[in-house]
Amino acid sequence: MLRYYTAGESHGEALVAFLSGIPAGLKIEQAFLDRELWRRQQGYGRGGRMKIERDTAHILSGVHHGVTIGSPISVLLENKDWKNWQDSLPVGEGDPAKHKAVKSPRPGHADLAGALKYNFPEARYILERASARESAARVAVGAIAKLLLCELGIQVLSHVVSVGSASLTDVDVPWDKIVPVSQRDEILLSCADPETEQKMKEEVDKALRSGDSVGGIFEVVAHGVPPGLGTYAQWDERLDGLLAGAVMSLQAVKAVEIGIGVAAASSPGSAVHDEIGYEGRAHTGFSRRSNHAGGIEGGISNGEEIRVRGYLKPISTLRRPLQSVDFATREPVKAAYERSDVCVVPAAGVAAEAMVALTLARCALEKFGGDSMGELLRNYQGYCQQIKNF
Ligand code: EPS
């Protein structure tokens, strides 16, 4: 079973990720892991922190001579900013006078609910773990899941559909337009259409000027997925449920949509469901004239591209803060402000790619099994033959 955990505070010494269940013999390309981490750090509207960090995946275990050995993999990502926080956020007792308290909770952040739950008088430790910095650790292990999927002919990428009120008009972005977005060496807002991307940039500029923040929508696409991942047989094994939970678990995601899920609710069935033909596709002879289902029917991948959208609320740290209450005095004050991003939609898309890849890798390993890549691939090829001959 594929399992993963992360640990680490935003301004602590490092982030750590653990991944177990990857078969032996998967080739690990360090450069690919680091490129994925770099992609997550990019985007117009990122704050000053990204000028400090240069994330790289330091693999501590589970990989030797460039391949996985079937043992748990652990990855360490150094926080370069730690040197500026060693005194204010020490592991030892330190000097309490140097502690940087978060004195008034930010609406929309975990500050208040977290302080109440963990019984802290202010929100420093809450911010530290609730921060989206944690998603870097997921991207590191997600990259390993992507390498595994790649061996099965599955690729996972994302693009940005909207930032604030700037949105793609043609929302059906084909795979061959998404691939070049991920290959860019300069990342603005990861939109496949350059004109819309400029409008998105204006949305971020507007937020920057007014001390505000802006959210948006990203779409993750999984290409080459065979039919048969996930199942309707049990509620917690449905692929759509697993993907929704995985993407929703990312910081600031407030809604997840599969295919045209939202519009489908107000459309007639005849305009929603994807008619079936038989024209020969990658895995089987069956084909669809549309993919409104986003590649999943009955909780099972149906062989079409899987399309999952994440709806991101605007960042909750505002330079022009909203009303809040001082933790100590209970007097009305403005919410705390600490250096932050203004827009993170492209970065969240990359983190969501990792979550989708980890979910698909888990389902693929559950279906095909195997302790070594040879065994996994043999099982996979046998299944592919079966559905080809269906
Ligand atoms: C974040 C606040 C900012 C972001 C951070 C998420 O960090 P800082 O407070 O250090 O300026 O940059 O995101 C990352 C560090 C990252 O790697 O994505 C928050 O409060 O959620």
Side-chain angles (χ1 to χ4, degrees):
M1 181 180 169
L2 194 73
R3 283 178 294 175
Y4 53 98
Y5 278 98
T6 71
E9 282 75 51
S10 181
H11 305 104
E13 188 170 352
L15 299 170
V16 186
F18 304 91
L19 176 66
S20 76
I22 294 285
L26 175 67
K27 196 161 173 279
I28 299 297
E29 294 164 45
Q30 178 72 45
F32 177 70
L33 267 62
D34 290 344
R35 163 94 190 163
E36 291 292 282
L37 291 168
W38 175 85
R39 289 178 60 227
R40 194 205 67 90
Q41 288 197 265
Q42 306 307 302
Y44 190 66
R46 285 295 237 156
R49 177 75 183 274
M50 287 307 112
K51 294 190 180 77
I52 299 172
E53 301 300 339
R54 179 178 276 254
D55 292 334
T56 56
H58 180 163
I59 298 175
L60 299 171
S61 72
V63 179
H64 292 282
H65 306 111
V67 291
T68 57
I69 62 166
S71 307
I73 298 169
S74 48
V75 188
L76 183 136
L77 287 86
E78 191 190 327
N79 283 328
K80 298 240 184 307
D81 204 17
W82 164 243
K83 64 177 184 307
N84 306 316
W85 286 81
Q86 282 182 60
D87 293 336
S88 50
L89 198 62
V91 173
E93 219 170 297
D95 177 359
K98 293 190 174 150
H99 182 83
K100 286 189 194 152
V102 176
K103 293 183 180 140
S104 51
R106 293 159 296 171
H109 216 286
D111 298 348
L112 179 57
L116 290 167
K117 177 176 170 68
Y118 290 98
N119 198 23
F120 289 126
E122 51 83 27
R124 167 53 58 197
Y125 303 142
I126 311 305
L127 173 163
E128 287 298 328
R129 182 64 188 158
S131 161
R133 172 100 191 114
E134 182 267 347
S135 65
R138 305 199 216 182
V139 169
V141 286
I144 297 173
K146 278 189 173 191
L147 290 173
L148 179 107
L149 292 173
C150 203
E151 296 289 321
L152 308 181
I154 302 169
Q155 283 167 283
V156 183
L157 292 173
S158 68
H159 67 106
V160 170
V161 173
S162 77
V163 170
S165 60
S167 180
L168 283 171
T169 39
D170 185 3
V171 290
D172 271 335
V173 182
W175 178 251
D176 61 10
K177 290 230 166 83
I178 297 171
V179 173
V181 172
S182 73
Q183 292 168 338
R184 292 178 187 168
D185 285 327
E186 268 179 52
I187 295 177
L188 188 65
L189 287 151
S190 295
C191 180
D193 175 52
E195 234 170 82
T196 312
E197 193 165 42
Q198 281 309 316
K199 290 189 187 132
M200 292 176 173
K201 180 175 178 288
E202 284 162 26
E203 290 287 298
V204 179
D205 284 330
K206 209 161 64 185
L208 275 164
R209 274 196 305 274
S210 55
D212 217 320
S213 61
V214 66
I217 306 169
F218 59 77
E219 181 174 63
V220 180
V221 181
H223 184 82
V225 182
L229 298 189
T231 175
Y232 51 76
Q234 203 53 263
W235 69 269
D236 58 353
E237 295 173 38
R238 297 180 79 104
L239 182 58
D240 41 8
L242 294 171
L243 287 171
V247 174
M248 185 71 111
S249 76
L250 285 164
Q251 296 84 351
V253 171
K254 293 300 279 184
V256 179
E257 178 181 28
I258 294 185
I260 61 154
V262 173
S266 55
S267 309
S270 56
V272 169
H273 301 299
D274 305 308
E275 289 186 308
I276 300 172
Y278 195 78
E279 289 146 20
R281 285 279 166 92
H283 290 282
T284 69
F286 295 98
S287 58
R288 302 297 177 117
R289 281 164 203 131
S290 55
N291 183 19
H292 298 151
I296 303 173
E297 288 168 308
I300 311 177
S301 62
N302 65 7
E304 299 298 301
E305 277 173 354
I306 291 184
R307 292 196 172 236
V308 188
R309 288 181 176 200
Y311 289 64
L312 216 64
K313 68 182 175 183
I315 294 283
S316 48
T317 307
L318 301 180
R319 214 158 22 85
R320 218 159 32 95
L322 295 174
Q323 196 56 43
S324 184
V325 169
D326 187 283
F327 271 119
T329 65
R330 312 291 155 109
E331 291 297 323
V333 289
K334 292 291 182 193
Y337 176 74
E338 197 166 287
R339 176 190 66 189
S340 183
D341 307 305
V342 168
C343 172
V344 290
V345 188
V350 176
E353 290 172 30
M355 296 309 289
V356 168
L358 285 158
T359 306
L360 293 178
R362 175 184 149 187
C363 292
L365 287 169
E366 274 164 21
K367 176 148 177 59
F368 306 115
D371 295 306
S372 68
M373 285 306 289
E375 188 180 7
L376 170 67
L377 290 175
R378 220 169 36 243
N379 296 345
Y380 181 60
Q381 281 149 12
Y383 174 72
C384 287
Q385 205 55 51
Q386 175 197 310
I387 54 176
K388 211 166 190 71
N389 299 339
F390 174 86

